[in-house]
Amino acid sequence: MKQRWHILGAGSIGCLWACHLTESGYPVSLILRNQQRLTQFSEKSGIQIGNDFFAVSAELADGPLPIQQLLVTTKAIDTIDAFNSIRERVADNARVVVLQNGMGSQQWIKAQLPNADVTWASTTDGAWLKSPFSLVHAGKGFTRIGSPDTNYPWLMSLDNGFLNVEIDDDISGTLWRKLAINCAINPLTAVHQCKNGDLIKNPDYLATMAAICTEVELVTKAEGLRLFEGPLIEQACQVAELTADNFSSMLQDIRHQRTTEISHITGYLCDLAKQHHLRIPTNQLYLRKIEKIQDDIKLNQAF
Ligand code: KPL
């Protein structure tokens, strides 16, 4: 019998991975937030993708089994609370995969579990939940997975199932490239409430995006990283063009009155800039703007 995977974060990507791991023969348990979600789950006792049904089990954070294999798919901002709710159950030498956008929680989890195999992952799969535990796999992408310091052979066992999984020797670079593009596109589109493509059509937005990119490059240089062959602004324009009709995930979060991932994207960059005594005023300005929008949302929700 294969070793069980526990999944913390039963959103669309967590559910997609629950199916992927089930398909490759692992027992899987989703860790759910509360009794209401568990009751909802027990009506289905599994996850549906189109006509396919995957028999997955679910439990609450205080479930009975020790956790030896853990996939973290919460939003980066929810990691600390979610992880602390299961900390007691996680084996010190557990295998952990952190599959998230942004940076910061990967290192935080490693600090909590210094003897665990903590690995990082990034995905371009697109999925959404049309109803609880009923999933639409809208875009087949790739999940890159790796460890920033050691090569763990067990990672190969995740390249089985129905998702495209690639072992990545430069997972830190992969996450950084995503973070850099997200710094360039997401806060600007969220503040100006525009589509990704508008950033290249409007000269003022384009100039701000270029300033953001130059500052990101200052920080990556100080970190000893070279993300792309050419300048970041060229890459950012390319992504904005390719996704011209899309609304960025940050704008969607704001439109749905949700907390964004800014603290693990631009916020992470600003923290590093501070450590290197670098000034990155444009990124700092947009960090403050998004934080202000989030504060206003919270205030509105309180009344
Ligand atoms: O990843 C993205 C997002 O919306 O979060 C893109 C489309 C690349 C914009 O940064």
Side-chain angles (χ1 to χ4, degrees):
M1 174 87 151
K2 287 185 172 178
Q3 177 90 262
R4 178 172 296 273
W5 276 95
H6 283 86
I7 301 185
L8 188 60
S12 52
I13 294 296
C15 286
L16 186 64
W17 266 77
C19 300
H20 171 72
L21 292 169
T22 303
E23 183 74 3
S24 66
Y26 289 99
V28 173
S29 293
L30 285 174
I31 301 172
L32 302 180
R33 241 192 330 261
N34 53 36
Q35 187 57 49
Q36 191 196 347
R37 292 273 287 159
L38 194 58
T39 309
Q40 245 173 10
F41 182 86
S42 58
E43 284 158 17
K44 277 212 165 80
S45 288
I47 297 170
Q48 190 90 35
I49 306 183
N51 291 328
D52 297 326
F53 178 80
F54 299 83
V56 168
S57 61
E59 62 193 43
L60 295 178
D62 61 359
L65 297 173
I67 297 176
Q68 287 290 348
Q69 303 199 109
L70 176 67
L71 173 64
V72 181
T73 50
T74 58
K75 265 187 153 188
I77 35 166
D78 298 325
T79 308
I80 297 183
D81 285 349
F83 181 82
N84 283 340
S85 73
I86 56 161
R87 171 65 189 96
E88 296 296 300
R89 297 173 57 198
V90 184
D92 287 343
N93 64 350
R95 293 172 174 177
V96 183
V97 177
V98 187
L99 172 51
Q100 284 179 340
N101 270 338
M103 294 263 244
S105 358
Q106 297 90 345
Q107 295 88 336
W108 182 85
I109 289 182
K110 181 68 187 172
Q112 313 309 304
L113 298 168
N115 298 319
D117 293 0
V118 178
T119 64
W120 305 1
S122 175
T123 191
T124 54
D125 269 309
W128 53 277
L129 288 161
K130 68 175 179 197
S131 60
F133 310 106
S134 178
L135 199 64
V136 178
H137 190 189
K140 270 216 161 195
F142 283 89
T143 302
R144 300 202 157 77
I145 207 160
S147 154
D149 31 57
T150 320
N151 197 0
Y152 296 116
W154 60 263
L155 281 176
M156 309 288 273
S157 66
L158 300 177
D159 180 14
N160 191 3
F162 62 84
L163 297 176
N164 299 316
V165 178
E166 283 179 358
I167 306 302
D168 188 341
D169 295 335
D170 181 26
I171 189 69
S172 174
T174 298
L175 277 156
W176 256 110
R177 281 183 278 279
K178 183 137 199 234
L179 182 133
I181 299 288
N182 286 162
C183 283
I185 295 179
N186 294 17
L188 266 171
T189 50
V191 167
H192 300 296
Q193 303 267 320
C194 65
K195 287 185 172 175
N196 294 352
D198 294 335
L199 298 182
I200 39 182
K201 286 189 209 137
N202 178 316
D204 289 339
Y205 297 168
L206 186 57
T208 311
M209 184 159 75
I212 286 176
C213 288
T214 306
E215 294 176 6
V216 172
E217 284 168 330
L218 267 181
V219 178
T220 51
K221 195 166 166 216
E223 284 282 299
L225 298 167
R226 182 138 191 263
L227 301 185
F228 300 103
E229 286 292 316
L232 173 59
I233 183 67
E234 278 177 15
Q235 298 291 325
C237 286
Q238 220 173 313
V239 174
E241 206 174 326
L242 282 170
T243 60
D245 270 338
N246 295 1
F247 295 107
S248 75
S249 55
M250 198 169 284
L251 176 53
Q252 291 184 48
D253 279 340
I254 281 172
R255 288 198 167 157
H256 290 100
Q257 312 265 295
R258 298 187 293 242
T259 307
T260 72
E261 295 183 308
I262 193 79
S263 57
H264 289 74
I265 298 175
T266 311
Y268 181 78
L269 186 87
C270 290
D271 285 347
L272 278 182
K274 205 163 157 196
Q275 285 170 31
H276 291 292
H277 307 288
L278 292 170
R279 284 192 66 250
I280 54 166
T282 320
N283 280 281
Q284 247 141 14
L285 177 67
Y286 275 82
L287 172 62
R288 281 199 303 273
K289 282 179 190 274
I290 299 287
E291 283 173 345
K292 167 88 176 56
I293 295 172
Q294 288 182 169
D295 288 348
D296 290 347
I297 289 173
K298 278 193 198 131
L299 256 181
N300 273 339
Q301 283 168 346
F303 289 106

